[in-house]
Amino acid sequence: AKQPSSLPIDVSLRCASERPKTLVTAYGPDTCICFVMQTIENGAPTEEGGSCMRFFQRKTHPSDMLAGEECFGGYTVFGVGDSNLLLDRQTTSAKDCNQVAEKLDGRLEALGGKRQFELGMADERTGLEEVDPWIQGFW
């Protein structure tokens, strides 16, 4: 996606397998980080996403860790899951298969992060039809 010139902040998309601590310290208040997280079987993150989740879930982090000027300016989270992995596929939706994205979104907020755009969730079973509308709203 192309960043429109009218957007007042920089947007950075990083791989969750990169050192998560650099996400907190390497960017300033003019940056919005978009976390794209996949949930696999049993509500677990992928191997790459696991290190990111473990970092932000540490109980030793102060509750205002992401609130300071030395941190990135804001965040948004988009989750990708697959309800085919769930037992009751007939009544499930994207919300039912995106636990990792929901946990990360809530934790970033609890650490003082500023949500720049609503949590997005997509389901591979439905052809990821939720992706395009979320991207359009985000831009």
Side-chain angles (χ1 to χ4, degrees):
K2 185 178 176 187
Q3 180 180 344
S5 60
S6 63
L7 194 62
I9 56 175
D10 291 328
V11 178
S12 177
L13 180 64
R14 298 274 304 266
C15 180
S17 64
E18 294 181 38
R19 294 187 50 159
K21 186 174 183 176
T22 64
L23 296 174
V24 176
T25 59
Y27 296 101
D30 61 341
T31 301
C32 176
I33 296 182
C34 178
F35 293 88
V36 179
M37 303 298 288
Q38 183 178 13
T39 301
I40 55 176
E41 295 181 64
N42 299 319
T46 60
E47 186 175 331
E48 296 84 7
S51 63
C52 183
M53 290 296 294
R54 285 188 298 278
F55 174 77
F56 285 111
Q57 288 178 326
R58 289 181 187 163
K59 298 201 182 309
T60 56
H61 290 319
S63 61
D64 63 348
M65 181 177 98
L66 302 178
E69 288 296 317
E70 65 280 353
C71 293
F72 54 84
Y75 73 90
T76 188
V77 179
F78 189 83
V80 179
D82 188 350
S83 60
N84 283 317
L85 301 174
L86 303 174
L87 292 175
D88 184 14
R89 295 182 202 115
Q90 302 303 317
T91 60
T92 57
S93 68
K95 183 168 176 30
D96 300 308
C97 59
N98 278 289
Q99 298 92 332
V100 172
E102 288 181 300
K103 286 179 189 174
L104 181 61
D105 184 68
R107 184 61 178 152
L108 294 172
E109 182 180 42
L111 291 172
K114 297 176 217 101
R115 185 181 296 110
Q116 296 294 321
F117 192 69
E118 66 191 38
L119 169 64
M121 294 184 274
D123 184 355
E124 290 187 39
R125 181 177 61 90
T126 61
L128 302 173
E129 62 189 26
E130 303 89 351
V131 174
D132 285 338
W134 186 87
I135 291 173
Q136 292 301 316
F138 180 64
W139 290 123

